[in-house]
Amino acid sequence: MRKFLRLVKKHLFTIIVLSVTMAILLTSLLKETGLAGLAHILSTLDPAWMFLAAGTLGVTWLLEGLCNWLLCRHLYPKWTYARSFMIGITGIFYASITPCSAGAQPMQIYYMSKMGMQGGKSAAIISAKTITHQATTVIFSLLLICTELPFFVKNVSNLTLFTVFGLATNILFIAAVVLISVNAGFIYRWLHTIMCWLGKIHILKKPEEKYKTVITQLDSFHEGFKTMGHSWRLYVAVCLITIVQLVLGSLDTYCIYRAFHLHGASVWLIVAAEVFAAMVVTFVPLPGGSGGAELSFDAFCHIFFGSMTTPAMLVWRLLTYYGSILFGFLYVSIGSRKYLGTPPPEDYQHPDSQNGDAALPTQANQTNCGSS
């Protein structure tokens, strides 16, 4: 019981956010259909299409493990797929319960180190995975939306606003990661100045401690790029798998569309809408993009679902988001007992990479705020 209470206290903010967004969604739905109407809608869903929707979600999880396995195998040839799948689910789970997915990468690195992987190499793998996934998502979503641009311009209100927000947040993130890889010193000095200033105006408490915490993560990403080397075939393979993952991850929306006995919209249109909508809300600063995800779904998928948009949104959110949290929690709990603390596979440093456990940059050793 104490362990459960500690867990609730630790994730209280996430629990409140998820509860509030679900309550708002249910309240809106009940106003539209009533309890009896909602029960009728859910009872008439086509089970075959719902099963297929769950299946496409499961395949995306398997592909997440495959991407991680390819990157892990680059440095650890005997690293198993099962361990990589565990790391992938860990990322999905913590991305779902932390704002802006902020807990995903640090927890993946933590679990990889507990599996016996050296710290520099785990950071290298996760940094490579992060930048390839984000860059692929942005480019692919833009290509998809451009193929049907007249349709979306005509049918999606505020398309320009969604596009600008999605591009700005994603490009800033990618640019920051790339800049860290080539010129970390500039980022560190700029970040140190900003955090010290926030401390002086009493917005940020203990700025030096906060700065060192942030820099520890940035150092890991910086070293990560150097450790992975320049294996373009590896990155091309990961990008191609990511594209397949994005398409399959968006097919669940089409499957839900068909589960509601709706017809007429093409698979390509719904995939394009869902991939782009998901890209837009990547950096909404709430767990799972709560609020933003629902708004984006309504904006892009109301075209297809019409009066069934709110019930469809409920089913979609329960399956893809709350389902991911449930599966992630169960699998991470089980996987932790099986893999954490076990001897690592053969340690191997790829010929085109540098020492992944060399001393990290000393950028964290900045002068303190009082003397800056």
Side-chain angles (χ1 to χ4, degrees):
M1 185 65 180
R2 289 182 180 178
K3 185 177 181 181
F4 174 76
L5 291 175
R6 285 197 300 270
L7 185 65
V8 170
K9 185 178 180 181
K10 182 179 179 181
H11 298 292
L12 183 60
F13 175 72
T14 299
I15 293 171
I16 292 173
V17 170
L18 299 187
S19 300
V20 169
T21 53
M22 180 53 69
I24 292 172
L25 183 57
L26 283 173
T27 300
S28 175
L29 183 55
L30 290 174
K31 283 183 177 179
E32 291 180 14
T33 65
L35 185 59
L38 175 60
H40 173 71
I41 290 171
L42 297 180
S43 67
T44 57
L45 290 175
D46 189 319
W49 281 106
M50 287 305 303
F51 179 79
L52 192 57
T56 60
L57 180 63
V59 174
T60 64
W61 295 340
L62 294 174
L63 292 175
E64 183 73 11
L66 180 59
C67 287
N68 286 313
W69 180 64
L70 289 175
L71 293 167
C72 289
R73 198 179 63 166
H74 183 64
L75 300 181
Y76 285 79
K78 292 188 178 181
W79 193 268
T80 63
Y81 173 81
R83 287 171 177 253
S84 302
F85 182 73
M86 163 72 181
I87 295 304
I89 296 300
T90 299
I92 291 171
F93 174 64
Y94 281 98
S96 300
I97 65 172
T98 55
C100 293
S101 305
Q105 291 86 3
M107 290 306 299
Q108 286 179 304
I109 294 171
Y110 170 78
Y111 276 98
M112 291 164 84
S113 66
K114 288 294 184 180
M115 292 182 190
M117 185 178 286
Q118 296 175 8
K121 293 179 182 178
S122 60
I125 291 163
I126 296 304
S127 61
K129 174 67 170 63
T130 300
I131 191 65
T132 52
H133 180 86
Q134 213 60 44
T136 302
T137 300
V138 172
I139 295 170
F140 185 61
S141 65
L142 287 176
L143 289 175
L144 280 178
I145 206 77
C146 285
T147 61
E148 301 291 343
L149 189 58
F151 175 84
F152 288 108
V153 168
K154 179 181 178 180
N155 293 282
V156 178
S157 58
N158 299 315
L159 179 64
T160 302
L161 180 62
F162 279 109
T163 304
V164 170
F165 177 80
L167 285 179
T169 53
N170 281 273
I171 290 174
L172 281 174
F173 173 79
I174 294 170
V177 174
V178 171
L179 189 56
I180 289 169
S181 70
V182 298
N183 189 7
F186 171 78
I187 289 291
Y188 295 150
R189 289 190 296 271
W190 177 80
L191 185 61
H192 185 260
T193 301
I194 294 296
M195 294 184 78
C196 285
W197 177 73
L198 291 174
K200 289 178 179 178
I201 61 175
H202 307 293
I203 291 179
L204 184 67
K205 295 181 178 180
K206 299 180 180 179
E208 286 295 337
E209 292 183 15
K210 297 290 197 308
Y211 171 76
K212 290 177 181 179
T213 300
V214 172
I215 289 303
T216 298
Q217 297 300 326
L218 295 182
D219 281 339
S220 296
F221 275 87
H222 177 72
E223 286 299 302
F225 280 96
K226 295 193 294 183
T227 303
M228 286 302 292
H230 304 87
S231 179
W232 66 269
R233 291 180 181 177
L234 171 65
Y235 297 126
V236 168
V238 171
C239 289
L240 291 175
I241 294 171
T242 301
I243 290 173
V244 176
Q245 188 181 17
L246 290 171
V247 172
L248 289 175
S250 300
L251 279 177
D252 52 33
T253 304
Y254 178 77
C255 293
I256 292 171
Y257 172 77
R258 295 302 305 273
F260 275 84
H261 307 282
L262 298 172
H263 305 272
S266 70
V267 177
W268 183 255
L269 267 178
I270 293 180
V271 166
E274 181 57 27
V275 170
F276 191 79
M279 184 274 292
V280 167
V281 300
T282 300
F283 294 105
V284 170
L286 289 173
S290 296
E294 288 82 0
L295 180 64
S296 185
F297 184 92
D298 181 71
F300 285 91
C301 295
H302 186 273
I303 315 165
F304 313 114
F305 287 95
S307 61
M308 290 288 104
T309 299
T310 307
M313 188 190 303
L314 174 66
V315 173
W316 170 74
R317 204 64 168 146
L318 287 172
L319 175 66
T320 62
Y321 181 55
Y322 292 91
S324 295
I325 292 177
L326 178 60
F327 179 80
F329 175 76
L330 294 174
Y331 194 86
V332 170
S333 299
I334 296 170
S336 298
R337 299 190 187 99
K338 183 175 181 180
Y339 296 112
L340 268 59
T342 57
E346 177 189 358
D347 186 13
Y348 173 78
Q349 184 69 44
H350 199 273
D352 71 351
S353 61
Q354 302 177 24
N355 182 7
D357 294 288
L360 291 174
T362 57
Q363 298 296 339
N365 299 323
Q366 298 270 3
T367 57
N368 59 44
C369 289
S371 60
S372 58

